[in-house]
Amino acid sequence: MAALKEKRNCGQRCEDFGRFVWNSDEGKLMGRTPEKWVYISLYYVAFYAVMTGLFCLAIWTLMYTLDPYAPDYQDRLKSPGVMVWPNTYGEEIVEISYNTSDKASWMKMTNILNDFLEPYNDTKQLECNKHNCTRGKYFIQDTFSAPNHTKWVCPFMQSMLGACSGHEDRTFGYNCTMPCVIIKMNRIINFLPSNNTEHPAYVNCTVLEGQHNVDKIEYFPEGGSMDLSYFPYYGRLAQPTYVNPLVAVRFSLVNGKKAKIQCRVVSKMISYENFHDPYEGKVIFQLEAVK
């Protein structure tokens, strides 16, 4: 029967570990001579230097082939989404509900619209953007002729929203039963809303539920159109001062003062029947004025 291995005490184990760290008899540091440690260190330095260089080269090559002004692939963005303001979301859809007798209630809606329209201030737009745009025609720009290597932008001013601009009525109609909502179409780089330059995209709102509660629908600018001069959009880097064209819609609520409404941007190039994306080409919201 083999003899049992002698159990080593703590002092002996510490002595063995110290000998492993530095063996003076063989001149080894942690099992290797200093010469071998130098060779191993040089190998790993060279290995990681090469790996770092290859990684940097791959990233540089990728960045060199990318266009800084537009994404290479936009196949999932064939049709823009549509949003509505005030953007007070409920469980499933936007629910714009306010109390005409409660100032805090309708002021909430007014403040949301004021904050949203701040970039559309007339003075800001005229200072930052091009003034002599040709209405009714696409603003195609092949060169970066604007300052700081950018492209020109046609101004969209708050006053263009007429009775829903907040200039004539600071409450946007929320202190009564004539509320204004603002429809915005999301941006897609190089997107043209129509192949026919004579017919710009326009907003059309229909009442899905509570038809008898809506007496009148008005659009600002007139006809609810989004002028062609605001298209195409060339991206944030090329057009840092760009703002989306807007359409304001004013509803005259009567009777029950509650309606479910769909606002659609009408154009040949904009689809709106995508089951998987309820905001593509249209937006549905609930409008309710409580008294």
Side-chain angles (χ1 to χ4, degrees):
M1 185 175 179
L4 295 175
K5 187 176 180 179
E6 181 182 357
K7 186 176 181 181
R8 302 177 67 81
N9 58 36
C10 182
Q12 291 173 323
R13 291 180 178 180
C14 291
E15 183 180 350
D16 290 344
F17 179 74
R19 189 177 294 109
F20 166 73
V21 174
W22 173 247
N23 189 330
S24 59
D25 297 335
E26 299 179 7
K28 292 183 177 180
L29 175 67
M30 299 182 70
R32 290 185 174 86
T33 62
E35 183 181 6
K36 289 185 176 180
W37 277 116
V38 170
Y39 290 149
I40 291 174
S41 299
L42 290 175
Y43 169 80
Y44 279 106
V45 168
F47 174 77
Y48 285 113
V50 171
M51 294 300 294
T52 302
L54 290 175
F55 177 77
C56 293
L57 178 63
I59 295 297
W60 180 85
T61 304
L62 175 64
M63 298 303 294
Y64 184 79
T65 59
L66 293 177
D67 184 353
Y69 294 97
D72 288 346
Y73 303 101
Q74 300 186 73
D75 56 322
R76 297 186 63 185
L77 295 173
K78 296 181 180 179
S79 190
V82 178
M83 306 296 292
V84 62
W85 268 262
N87 55 342
T88 51
Y89 288 89
E91 293 183 0
E92 296 183 358
I93 61 173
V94 177
E95 297 178 359
I96 304 173
S97 179
Y98 65 98
N99 190 330
T100 58
S101 302
D102 183 2
K103 184 177 180 180
S105 175
W106 56 261
M107 277 297 293
K108 175 184 176 182
M109 303 299 171
T110 300
N111 291 335
I112 292 174
L113 291 179
N114 279 324
D115 292 341
F116 174 70
L117 290 173
E118 186 176 352
Y120 293 86
N121 178 274
D122 289 21
T123 304
K124 288 183 180 180
Q125 285 296 305
L126 292 176
E127 287 177 352
C128 298
N129 297 325
K130 187 179 179 70
H131 303 171
N132 56 341
C133 294
T134 304
R135 310 293 293 180
K137 185 178 179 181
Y138 285 129
F139 193 9
I140 306 296
Q141 302 177 73
D142 297 324
T143 60
F144 294 84
S145 56
N148 302 317
H149 196 67
T150 60
K151 295 189 177 185
W152 296 105
V153 175
C154 293
F156 190 98
M157 296 174 288
Q158 187 173 345
S159 59
M160 296 170 67
L161 298 178
C164 288
S165 65
H167 292 170
E168 300 174 11
D169 179 6
R170 305 294 296 178
T171 69
F172 297 93
Y174 283 93
N175 64 339
C176 59
T177 56
M178 296 183 66
C180 292
V181 302
I182 296 176
I183 305 298
K184 185 195 81 169
M185 183 172 68
N186 293 340
R187 308 173 187 179
I188 296 181
I189 294 177
N190 293 325
F191 175 75
L192 300 177
S194 175
N195 287 330
N196 188 342
T197 57
E198 297 178 358
H199 302 285
Y202 66 93
V203 173
N204 180 57
C205 296
T206 56
V207 182
L208 302 179
E209 298 176 7
Q211 288 84 351
H212 299 295
N213 296 335
V214 180
D215 181 54
K216 187 179 181 182
I217 301 177
E218 301 171 88
Y219 300 93
F220 308 93
E222 186 177 357
S225 65
M226 296 180 175
D227 194 81
L228 298 178
S229 60
Y230 298 106
F231 303 97
Y233 169 60
Y234 289 103
R236 182 174 296 181
L237 186 61
Q239 294 178 306
T241 61
Y242 182 90
V243 293
N244 301 60
L246 306 175
V247 172
V249 187
R250 182 166 67 177
F251 299 91
S252 297
L253 301 177
V254 295
N255 302 324
K257 304 181 183 64
K258 182 177 181 180
K260 186 176 182 180
I261 300 165
Q262 172 184 286
C263 288
R264 174 192 164 199
V265 179
V266 181
S267 173
K268 293 181 181 179
M269 304 299 293
I270 301 175
S271 61
Y272 68 99
E273 296 178 328
N274 187 345
F275 176 79
H276 301 287
D277 188 355
Y279 291 98
E280 184 179 65
K282 68 180 185 301
V283 61
I284 298 175
F285 56 95
Q286 192 86 29
L287 185 59
E288 180 180 16
V290 180
K291 189 173 181 179

